[in-house]
């Protein structure tokens, strides 16, 4: 009877049509074949109808799903828009579903493949096409077998969406790692959307290679062997995702493991993610770098990088050029912002070779590290960040530029020991920056920072200085060059103690801040064990003849106290002729001839200066001021 369907329970039964059944389909006795399941009745979402396909034009080859060839005829079901992979033969019981899913994707009219909430095993790679959506239902796809090829691969594809699937790689750490063994591997592709996807136990979770316009949202990327998310990708958003514990199989201290690693990528928006907690203590959870590896047109810089409202555990952020590059090869990242991130725990921030970088309102930073290793322009402004300490190092001769280009404004230091600003042993370089309104319960500067402050490479705003203890900004300067410039501040009341170690003549030039009424106090100590030392002052100083004679041949271990006040372009000497022998000082120094001084010797000198010298100087100042006041009063009465 016409307009009835031939009913078959399974695909195998449909492929086994008899000659009579085929004839009945050809003469119209049956309108088509109703298929109730693929491997067994009811294992597909619903029954579907296959119709006899026309002989011309040829509809194509048997693909096991939409087109079936049997007994010289072709039966066709027109899947519109979306299709469940089970209609093409994918099934949880299969040892390998690669070919079934691939044929489903390759069917021209299909724009969306759906995967039910079940587990599907895959041995090979599945190649994606443009304008395709993979729609899961918390579906699990496990990749086994070859660990040199990815699970899903998109090459030169556009407009691809992957949603609500779980990808598990089952990585075997006894086998060599391969960056191509990824859950999702895209290259030369654009307009990609990855949402609510879980990727774990691959060598790389998600790899993007020369891609543009990528969005990763609400996804989980964990426990991948080397990297969670990596690649070269412009105009990329990573948001609302959980990316942790990637790279744990790599040996610790390798610095090769990262949760997220982008190189030569611009216009990145990394927002509201949870990252970190690798076992490698030296790696960064998030790294954005310029690197010569992979440089080509449109992927030759790292610019416009926004990192906001993320939570970092254990491992922090690194932004810069690859430190392995020589200075002439580095290209600084440009326009970087780190804002309102939470680094509480053991997470660091590394800023290397950046231009126009701003960090603000970040909290819980353990070590804020700044390294400048090039002669190219760079600038960094840190505002209202919370950190245990700041480490400035490897500034490579750019200290005077860095002083103005690196600014720490309103930093809240939370460390309970040590110093707020430190240099790092082993990295070399010298600190340089501007500091405004810090909040700290510990001294601001370690010895290296203190010396650079005196040398003019660390600038502290005027309004801050009265609020700091002596140790925070100055103890003493060991001077072994031929010239020294005091970096004084208007109305400074504490003296510079200058220990002169140089050979020949030390010339003291005009201070950096010259304002009417400013004061400068200097204590000089000739620390050269060989005897006489000549100290001169530049023409901006007005010295008494007595002081000039004393400084022309300053004996070994002799101290000189001088006080100046700046009036109408000249630093005029207010107090002079205060000279002290070294008897009290030598008692605090184990090496009597003052050569080869040790840290203990220096500590003894500092103790003597604080307990004996400065009180004596202050007493002399008080006595002199009293005398000057008396003379002034007498002069007024005589008038």
């Amino acid at each position: 009877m016409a307009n009835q369907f031939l009913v078959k329970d399974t695909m195998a039964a449909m492929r086994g049509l008899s000659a009579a059944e085929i004839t009945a389909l050809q003469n119209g006795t049956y309108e088509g074949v109703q298929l109730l399941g693929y491997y067994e009745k009811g294992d597909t979402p619903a029954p579907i109808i296959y119709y006899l396909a026309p002989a011309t034009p040829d509809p194509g080859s048997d693909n096991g799903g939409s087109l079936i060839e049997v007994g010289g005829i072709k039966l066709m079901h027109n899947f519109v828009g979306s299709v469940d992979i089970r209609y093409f033969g994918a099934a949880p019981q299969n040892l390998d579903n690669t070919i079934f899913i691939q044929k489903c994707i390759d069917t021209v009219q299909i724009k969306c493949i759906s995967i039910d909430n079940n587990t599907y095993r895959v041995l090979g790679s599945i190649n994606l096409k443009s304008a395709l959506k993979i729609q899961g239902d918390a579906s699990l796809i496990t990749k086994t077998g070859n660990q040199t090829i990815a699970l899903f691969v998109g090459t030169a594809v556009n407009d691809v969406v992957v949603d609500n699937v779980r990808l598990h790689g089952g990585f075997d750490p006894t086998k060599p790692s391969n960056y191509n063994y990824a859950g999702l591997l895209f290259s030369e592709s654009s307009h990609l959307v990855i949402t609510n996807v879980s990727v774990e136990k691959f060598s790389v979770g998600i790899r993007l290679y020369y891609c543009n316009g990528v969005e990763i949202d609400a996804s989980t990327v964990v426990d991948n062997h080397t990297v969670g998310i990596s690649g070269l990708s412009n105009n990329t958003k990573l948001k609302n995702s959980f990316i942790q514990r990637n790279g744990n199989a790599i040996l610790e201290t390798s610095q090769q493991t990262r949760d997220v690693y982008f190189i030569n990528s611009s216009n990145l928006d990394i927002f509201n993610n949870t990252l970190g907690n690798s076992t490698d203590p030296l790696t960064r959870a998030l790294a954005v770098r310029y690197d010569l590896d992979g440089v080509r047109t449109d992927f030759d810089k790292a610019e416009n990088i926004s990192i906001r409202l993320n939570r970092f555990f254990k491992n922090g952020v690194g932004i810069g050029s690859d430190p392995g590059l020589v200075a002439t090869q580095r290209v600084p990242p440009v326009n970087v912002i780190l804002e309102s991130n939470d680094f509480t725990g053991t997470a660091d921030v590394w800023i290397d070779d950046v231009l126009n970088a701003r960090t603000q309102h970040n909290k819980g930073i353990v070590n804020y590290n700044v390294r400048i290793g090039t002669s190219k322009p760079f600038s960094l402004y840190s505002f209202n960040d919370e950190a245990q300490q700041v480490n400035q190092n490897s500034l490579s001769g750019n200290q005077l530029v860095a002083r103005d280009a690196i600014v720490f404004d309103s930093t809240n230091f939370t460390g309970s020991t040590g110093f707020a600003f430190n240099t790092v042993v082993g990295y070399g370089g010298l600190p340089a920056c501007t500091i405004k309104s810090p909040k700290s319960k510990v001294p601001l500067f370690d010895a290296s920072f203190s010396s650079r402050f005196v040398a003019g490479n660390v600038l502290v705003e005027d309004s801050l200085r009265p609020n700091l203890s002596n140790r925070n900004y100055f103890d003493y300067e060991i001077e072994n060059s031929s010239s020294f410039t005091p970096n004084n501040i208007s109305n400074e009341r504490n003296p510079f103690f200058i220990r002169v170690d140089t050979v020949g003549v030390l010339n003291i030039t005009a201070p950096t801040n010259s304002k009417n009424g400013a004061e400068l106090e200097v204590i000089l100590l000739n620390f050269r064990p060989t005897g006489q030392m000549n100290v001169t002052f530049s023409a901006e100083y007005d010295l008494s003849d007595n002081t000039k004679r004393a400084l022309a041949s300053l004996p070994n271990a002799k101290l000189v106290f001088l006080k100046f006040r700046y009036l109408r372009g000249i630093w005029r000497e207010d107090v002079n002729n205060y000279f002290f022998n070294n008897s009290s000082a030598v008692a605090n120094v184990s090496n009597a001839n003052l050569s080869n001084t040790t840290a203990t010797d220096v500590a003894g000198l500092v103790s003597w200066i604080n307990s004996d010298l400065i009180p004596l100087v202050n007493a002399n100042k008080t006595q002199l001021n009293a005398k000057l006041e008396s003379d002034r009063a007498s002069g007024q009465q005589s008038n």
Side-chain angles (χ1 to χ4, degrees), residues 238-295:
L238 171 60
K239 58 184 183 179
N240 308 316
S241 295
F242 186 89
I243 309 149
Q244 282 200 334
R245 303 189 308 273
N246 297 286
N248 285 345
I250 296 285
L251 293 175
E252 291 189 17
T253 74
S254 68
Q255 302 188 56
Q256 298 300 308
T257 62
R258 297 170 182 88
D259 286 308
V260 179
Y261 182 36
F262 287 107
I263 64 171
N264 306 340
S265 302
S266 296
N267 303 320
L268 301 178
D269 185 8
I270 300 171
F271 174 80
N272 196 36
N273 303 284
T274 298
L275 305 97
N277 213 25
S278 168
T279 59
D280 187 340
L282 298 182
T283 190
R284 307 277 73 79
L286 168 64
V288 180
R289 283 182 172 175
Y290 169 82
D291 199 331
L292 286 179
D293 183 21
V295 168

Side-chain angles (χ1 to χ4, degrees), residues 19 23 44 47 71 146 154 160 210 282 298 309 336 362 369 392 404 479 498 506:
T23 299
T44 53
N146 191 335
V160 173
Y210 298 124
L282 298 182
D298 296 329
L309 292 168
V336 177
N362 299 288
N369 306 278
Q392 298 267 117
D404 300 319
E479 187 56 49
I498 306 176
L506 169 65

Side-chain angles (χ1 to χ4, degrees), residues 315-545:
N315 313 96
V317 171
I319 310 292
S321 295
D322 187 332
L325 299 177
V326 299
T328 56
Q329 295 175 318
R330 298 177 186 171
V331 176
V334 178
N335 299 333
V336 177
I337 184 166
L338 276 77
E339 180 177 2
S340 301
N341 299 286
D342 185 355
F343 293 90
T344 303
T346 56
D348 298 346
V349 171
W350 289 82
I351 305 292
D352 302 355
D353 286 321
V354 293
L355 175 60
N356 192 26
R358 185 177 181 93
T359 70
Q360 59 189 26
H361 310 303
N362 299 288
K363 69 177 183 178
I365 301 171
V366 176
N367 294 295
Y368 192 125
N369 306 278
V370 179
R371 296 191 294 187
I372 305 297
T374 73
S375 58
K376 297 180 173 64
F378 55 86
S379 58
L380 166 66
Y381 199 100
S382 168
F383 175 72
N384 196 31
D385 288 316
E386 179 186 281
Q388 290 187 24
Q389 64 180 12
V390 168
N391 299 314
Q392 298 267 117
N393 45 76
S394 297
L395 297 180
S396 301
N398 292 318
Q399 294 88 7
L400 292 180
V401 178
R403 182 191 65 185
D404 300 319
I406 301 176
V407 179
F408 291 93
D409 188 350
S410 303
T411 308
N412 181 20
F413 290 99
T414 60
S416 59
T417 60
F419 299 89
F421 287 87
N422 299 267
T423 52
V424 177
V425 176
Y427 286 102
L430 296 168
C433 61
T434 294
I435 301 169
K436 298 181 178 181
S437 305
K439 302 174 185 177
S440 178
K441 294 181 180 179
V442 297
L444 279 186
F445 301 156
D446 69 0
S448 179
F449 258 88
S450 180
S451 67
R452 300 317 300 166
F453 163 71
V454 176
N457 294 334
V458 175
L459 178 64
V460 180
E461 66 178 9
D462 289 13
S463 62
L464 171 65
R465 288 294 296 272
N467 299 323
L468 304 181
S469 67
N470 287 352
R471 187 168 181 81
N472 278 343
Y473 59 86
F474 181 68
D475 277 327
Y476 56 85
E477 169 72 4
I478 300 174
E479 187 56 49
N480 52 22
S481 64
S482 60
S483 179
F484 172 71
T485 302
N487 185 21
N488 72 308
I489 299 297
S490 178
N491 296 320
E492 177 57 62
R493 292 292 190 268
N494 295 283
F496 289 99
F497 171 54
I498 306 176
R499 193 185 88 178
V500 183
D501 280 3
T502 189
V503 176
V505 177
L506 169 65
N507 182 53
I508 299 177
T509 59
T512 56
N513 292 289
S514 299
K515 303 175 183 178
N516 280 333
E519 294 182 358
L520 174 66
E521 298 179 6
V522 178
I523 300 171
L524 298 174
L525 168 63
N526 179 13
F527 215 73
R528 290 189 59 232
T530 55
Q532 304 295 329
M533 175 65 210
N534 293 333
V535 178
T536 63
F537 284 76
S538 63
E540 291 86 355
Y541 294 92
D542 181 16
L543 299 175
S544 68
D545 290 338

Side-chain angles (χ1 to χ4, degrees), residues 9 26 49 178 193 269 313 332 420 451 558 561 567 593 616:
D9 287 343
Q26 290 174 321
I49 305 296
N178 189 299
V193 177
D269 185 8
F313 287 89
S451 67
K558 193 165 188 177
F561 169 73
L567 295 171
N593 66 7
L616 179 60

